[in-house]
Amino acid sequence: MYDYLIVGSGLYGSVCARELTDAGKKVLVIDKRDHIAGNVYTKKIEGINVHIYGAHIFHTNNTKVWEYVQKFATFNRFTNSPVANYNGELYSLPFNMYTFNKMWGVVTPEEAFAKIEEQKKAAGITEPKNLEEQAISLVGTDIYEKLIKGYTKKQWGRPCSQLPSFIIKRLPVRFTFDNNYFNALYQGIPVGGYTKMVEKMLEGIELKLSVNYFDNREYWNTAAKKIIFTGPIDEFFSYELGNLEYRSVRFQTEILEKQNFQGNAAVNYTDADTPWTRIIEHKWFEFGKDEHGNELPKTVISKEYSSEWKPGDEPYYPVNDEKNGKLYQQYLAKALKEENVIFGGRLGEYKYYDMDQVIALALQKVTELVEQ
Ligand code: UDP
């Protein structure tokens, strides 16, 4: 009999497993995949740590979380600065003075600000009610049309007018020359990859891979006093109220016989017609050097295609709009009645969390559990 069965070895599950074990609890982690680390999993291909389930750039303002992850990995000084490619025109991201200069030829922050105000006024937006209005009121119609509209439609499969405005607020808008995508005190990628970091978190903890909780849930429900479930909350309840909507992503990964394909870790294709949303060139997350300091002869890229989730697909992004929010509340009400089950992580809580938020929530949850 275990104190805790943890379903899923992503960041939420692995942090809980580490902390509960260190607090003297007997823990078992199971994962349906044949590897640990959930969607932060990285795999070495051609000497490069490939982000198999999409790019993950660790960034946080939470000093406690930053200090916590240092226990399990050394972080490099990677700073995310994606480039937007709109039909061959390149723009700096996030939206900053380099972007404004390229878009309008403006030189000073005052000129950029005036341009945005003018476009915002012409669009007649006072109180933004959705992503489209929010975007226009932040950066004006030109940037919205070229860098946001097509990308967002591809990414979410819905027009910007039907999406919540908080999604676009993830991106900073700056009147300075600064291409750092995140407003975060701390940022980096674990040296050696995320898998190595999670391996270290799970050191000495009992783990069973390729084990699906749902294949034998009656058995697993009796194996531990409590369960920490990090899979989709609607799947836990057999989708009985209907399924929550997710976006899924398909990755087309290629090994190229060249050293440098696009000169940057991430290039977003922001027009509506290019079928992929972005291309990731994984070596630039770690500066393209192998362990001996040599330039790697090859490169690995992944094209990302976004699609609506259907049963059998991997869920990646919860669609946090009103309709799904209401359904989630109903599932949450059911979850709260499950005294011995804790739901956590992006899928367990159906929230578009970043990695640092997931870690902070896991640490908080374990503190609560241990104090009980
Ligand atoms: N976005 C955009 N154009 C871009 C990059 C982002 O319009 O070139 C919008 C898009 O709606 C996206 C949101 O900003 O869903 C958040 O982007 P972020 O890069 O945070 O998404 P993630 O990396 O989590 O996929």
Side-chain angles (χ1 to χ4, degrees), residues 194-328:
Y194 286 92
T195 307
K196 198 172 142 194
M197 176 178 93
V198 176
E199 243 163 44
K200 189 132 192 241
M201 275 179 188
L202 293 174
E203 221 166 58
I205 297 170
E206 212 179 320
L207 166 75
K208 289 186 200 294
L209 294 175
S210 306
V211 170
N212 189 336
Y213 166 78
F214 293 109
D215 288 345
N216 205 351
R217 67 189 296 178
E218 272 116 58
Y219 167 76
W220 292 116
N221 288 350
T222 57
K225 291 181 199 147
K226 281 186 192 279
I227 296 178
I228 296 183
F229 181 80
T230 71
I233 185 168
D234 51 346
E235 186 180 14
F236 185 89
F237 294 106
S238 313
Y239 305 109
E240 63 186 61
L241 305 171
N243 76 273
L244 291 161
E245 292 175 297
Y246 299 87
R247 292 297 289 172
S248 193
V249 189
R250 182 171 66 79
F251 299 96
Q252 187 185 333
T253 296
E254 298 164 32
I255 300 168
L256 304 180
E257 305 287 328
K258 54 170 82 173
Q259 280 204 329
N260 190 353
F261 169 71
Q262 62 183 17
N264 203 31
V267 176
N268 294 357
Y269 286 76
T270 58
D271 65 287
D273 299 329
T274 305
W276 53 83
T277 49
R278 57 187 164 191
I279 302 183
I280 301 301
E281 186 169 13
H282 301 269
K283 63 166 33 172
W284 303 127
F285 287 130
E286 30 187 18
F287 315 126
K289 302 265 200 281
D290 69 16
E291 279 146 15
H292 312 289
N294 303 317
E295 289 293 337
L296 295 163
K298 296 185 190 174
T299 194
V300 182
I301 62 161
S302 300
K303 290 182 180 144
E304 283 187 33
Y305 300 84
S306 183
S307 62
E308 195 66 24
W309 175 89
K310 50 184 185 345
D313 292 346
E314 293 288 352
Y316 282 85
Y317 296 91
V319 180
N320 287 128
D321 61 8
E322 219 179 295
K323 174 181 141 201
N324 286 290
K326 280 192 188 136
L327 183 55
Y328 170 69

Side-chain angles (χ1 to χ4, degrees), residues 37 62 76 93 114 120-121 131 146-147 155 192 219 235 241 246 248 260 287 332 342 347 354:
N62 185 328
N76 71 17
L93 292 174
K120 184 177 156 182
K121 212 168 152 204
L131 199 157
K146 286 190 170 182
L147 305 184
Q155 161 88 5
Y219 167 76
E235 186 180 14
L241 305 171
Y246 299 87
S248 193
N260 190 353
F287 315 126
L332 180 63
I342 294 116
L347 300 175
D354 288 331

Side-chain angles (χ1 to χ4, degrees), residues 133-149:
E133 296 184 3
Q134 182 69 61
I136 294 171
S137 76
L138 285 171
V139 288
T141 35
D142 290 339
I143 291 180
Y144 170 68
E145 291 289 336
K146 286 190 170 182
L147 305 184
I148 298 173
K149 193 177 170 182

